[in-house]
Amino acid sequence: MYSYPLLSSLVLCQLLSSARADTPVKLGGYSYVSKGPVAFGVLASNAVDSSGDTIGGIGSAMTINGNGSFTGTFVMHPDSGPHGDLDKGYQTRQQEIEFVLTPYTGSSSLSLSDAKKTLSLAYRKTLLQVDVDGSKLRRSGSYPALPLVSSSDPRLTIDAESIAQDVDGTFWMGDEYGPYIYHFNSAGQRIGVIQPPRAFLPITSQGYVDFSSSSVTGRVGGQGFEGLTMDHSTRTLYAMLQSALIQDGGVDSDGEESDTTSRYTRVVAYAVGGSSPELKGEWVVPLPRSASKGKTRPSSEILFVGNGTFLSLSRDAGGRGGNDDESSYKQIDLFSITGATNIAGSKYDDPKNPVAPGGTLASDVVPAAYASFVDLINKDSLKKFGLHNGSPNDETLIASRWEGLAIAPLCDSSNKDDYLVFAVSDNNFSTTDGVIGGVSYDEGLDVDTQFLVYRVTLPSLSRGSVETSLGISPCFS
């Protein structure tokens, strides 16, 4: 709907042809290459939507709906609203942000103001999400046990962290609180929900599902389905936990969250092309750990890139709006489930049988293969776009919470396996000039939503598959 003439696409390829190629990364018989960042953009922390609310937290989930690699629309999903109070009634919504990409591949460093011009962003519209009858999201119909505000208030408490658009125009939304996967039609009405295997659900010592902090197995609080992506060719939906389940090392022997034993997370696959979703697979993914203290680097998003291979966005909490000015790990990595053990329907879907008790993987389970790929805090790459890592804590500091990924075709006939990968941060609604529901708020710090765009070589992707997922013509015949 925002198409440029074909000449624009050809010019884009020529502009990007000078991008520097880094050392190939080998995984699953393929060679992947990160060719560095080509664009940067921001959405101001005090931007507002059509309802008058602050546009915050949209980096939690992102997909693309548009016309190729140089212009289009980001479909983005905020999480639970400012302060993270799930019971305050922040209405779940989708935000659409238009973008125009003007890539930069020069060798000199840009000022921040010039860097922002390489990816221009503009608010387009908001879609509030509701139940089929138009009411705010609540428990209704024959759905499984769902997280509610209270026994007397049937509104759902949703912490949306991931989104994937289906080939039929509907959207799937990953929730880190349940953890569940909700299904919405193009009008924003909830039309379904997927409940994962019992091993994923927060279960008390008495055997009941309880979404409070009293669970002894299941997802760790706030560590649910951060990652969601789709293989559109087979209509297979993949969802990944941010880190390990409670029984798989997510907590220590005292019941406290553990960042040293929570490495082995799980990804599930559902076939969604039939009358109802069907569990198709489940695999263990070994998350990266810090070299010094062995701390797990949780995954905030995944993106399917063909043949059982995925990108995974993992990070620490350092950066603008985070726990510390300096970050030591923010990467878009690779993992492959080809050759990994499919544990779907096995004893490990019973919470009594952890797949990684105390953080040690069961001997009969082969995990996914994992490889380091794109470094978001590379000093030279940041400097090129007017950014830095560490003090001072100002608008040029790399954001802390990178949580969204999307992909677009490049259509370079000389490099047919090259694509553009967009990464976006979640500003957690942090602004000194915020408003929700007509009520002003001040978080004490303005944190803009940052976007970075990378050129990467992804040979595992079937040529034309990205274009098909975006509803545009294939780049190559």
Side-chain angles (χ1 to χ4, degrees):
M1 52 187 145
Y2 305 106
S3 60
Y4 285 172
L6 177 61
L7 177 61
S8 297
S9 178
L10 295 175
V11 170
L12 177 66
C13 294
Q14 292 168 359
L15 285 169
L16 290 175
S17 63
S18 61
R20 177 179 61 87
D22 289 340
T23 303
V25 173
K26 304 284 188 179
L27 184 70
Y30 295 100
S31 293
Y32 300 87
V33 183
S34 169
K35 297 183 177 179
V38 297
F40 171 77
V42 302
L43 190 69
S45 65
N46 63 348
V48 295
D49 65 21
S50 56
S51 66
D53 288 345
T54 294
I55 302 175
I58 57 174
S60 294
M62 173 174 68
T63 188
I64 292 179
N65 183 10
N67 287 305
S69 56
F70 46 88
T71 183
T73 303
F74 293 124
V75 180
M76 313 189 75
H77 214 300
D79 46 24
S80 55
H83 323 303
D85 296 330
L86 297 177
D87 60 349
K88 296 301 183 183
Y90 177 75
Q91 187 164 0
T92 305
R93 65 195 69 187
Q94 286 179 193
Q95 306 282 25
E96 293 193 8
I97 307 295
E98 294 177 349
F99 70 88
V100 177
L101 174 66
T102 307
Y104 175 71
T105 59
S107 58
S108 59
S109 298
L110 299 175
S111 66
L112 185 67
S113 60
D114 285 339
K116 291 178 182 179
K117 298 174 184 177
T118 60
L119 183 68
S120 60
L121 302 156
Y123 168 74
R124 182 168 182 259
K125 70 176 183 179
T126 297
L127 178 65
L128 297 176
Q129 292 175 316
V130 296
D131 263 310
V132 174
D133 62 2
S135 64
K136 287 190 176 182
L137 292 171
R138 56 187 173 81
R139 178 167 185 173
S140 60
S142 57
Y143 292 119
L146 297 174
L148 309 178
V149 173
S150 68
S151 58
S152 59
D153 186 344
R155 288 177 300 154
L156 298 185
T157 52
I158 294 177
D159 194 353
E161 293 291 348
S162 47
I163 186 173
Q165 186 171 14
D166 207 334
V167 295
D168 60 1
T170 62
F171 290 88
W172 298 90
M173 182 186 72
D175 164 49
E176 74 171 0
Y177 187 59
Y180 288 96
I181 304 170
Y182 294 94
H183 195 196
F184 293 88
N185 63 22
S186 59
Q189 298 172 314
R190 179 169 66 109
I191 56 177
V193 60
I194 297 176
Q195 183 186 62
R198 188 170 175 81
F200 290 68
L201 304 179
I203 307 293
T204 67
S205 57
Q206 289 77 37
Y208 300 110
V209 175
D210 188 338
F211 299 99
S212 69
S213 59
S214 61
S215 55
V216 295
T217 60
R219 60 96 177 109
V220 173
Q223 301 280 304
F225 286 139
E226 282 270 348
L228 188 71
T229 188
M230 173 170 275
D231 174 1
H232 293 88
S233 66
T234 62
R235 292 191 70 186
T236 302
L237 191 67
Y238 296 90
M240 191 163 87
L241 297 167
Q242 190 170 22
S243 63
L245 296 169
I246 290 174
Q247 66 269 27
D248 292 340
V251 302
D252 59 24
S253 58
D254 295 322
E256 300 295 327
E257 289 187 30
S258 173
D259 58 6
T260 58
T261 60
S262 57
R263 181 186 190 193
Y264 292 107
T265 190
R266 303 194 198 190
V267 60
V268 289
Y270 284 91
V272 295
S275 58
S276 61
E278 179 184 354
L279 182 64
K280 183 178 180 179
E282 180 182 343
W283 302 268
V284 174
V285 178
L287 296 173
R289 294 184 294 183
S290 66
S292 58
K293 298 182 180 180
K295 291 186 176 182
T296 299
R297 306 303 194 190
S299 175
S300 295
E301 182 60 291
I302 59 173
L303 185 66
F304 180 76
V305 292
N307 197 31
T309 307
F310 303 79
L311 298 178
S312 175
L313 179 53
S314 289
R315 61 170 179 84
D316 61 11
R320 180 77 165 171
N323 298 339
D324 195 292
D325 292 347
E326 187 166 7
S327 172
S328 59
Y329 196 95
K330 295 191 194 307
Q331 294 199 174
I332 303 171
D333 294 328
L334 288 156
F335 71 87
S336 173
I337 57 175
T338 303
T341 305
N342 185 348
I343 61 172
S346 72
K347 65 179 182 180
Y348 298 117
D349 278 342
D350 183 335
K352 296 178 181 178
N353 301 305
V355 75
T360 300
L361 186 64
S363 59
D364 62 340
V365 174
V366 176
Y370 197 98
S372 177
F373 190 35
V374 180
D375 184 4
L376 273 63
I377 55 173
N378 176 275
K379 182 178 179 180
D380 292 336
S381 294
L382 292 178
K383 184 179 179 181
K384 184 176 179 180
F385 288 92
L387 301 170
H388 73 278
N389 180 25
S391 62
N393 188 343
D394 57 21
E395 65 174 342
T396 67
L397 176 62
I398 184 76
S400 170
R401 302 159 61 94
W402 290 84
E403 299 193 357
L405 291 174
I407 191 169
L410 185 56
C411 301
D412 183 349
S413 59
S414 298
N415 298 275
K416 294 183 178 181
D417 291 328
D418 280 13
Y419 298 85
L420 296 173
V421 170
F422 298 76
V424 62
S425 67
D426 171 10
N427 76 339
N428 210 28
F429 287 84
S430 184
T431 178
T432 59
D433 183 26
V435 59
I436 295 292
V439 179
S440 299
Y441 73 91
D442 181 353
E443 290 288 276
L445 183 67
D446 290 319
V447 181
D448 295 334
T449 300
Q450 297 181 357
F451 295 73
L452 278 166
V453 187
Y454 293 84
R455 177 173 177 161
V456 295
T457 304
L458 302 171
S460 55
L461 267 173
S462 297
R463 291 175 186 166
S465 61
V466 173
E467 297 94 299
T468 299
S469 70
L470 296 175
I472 61 177
S473 300
C475 296
F476 314 110
S477 58

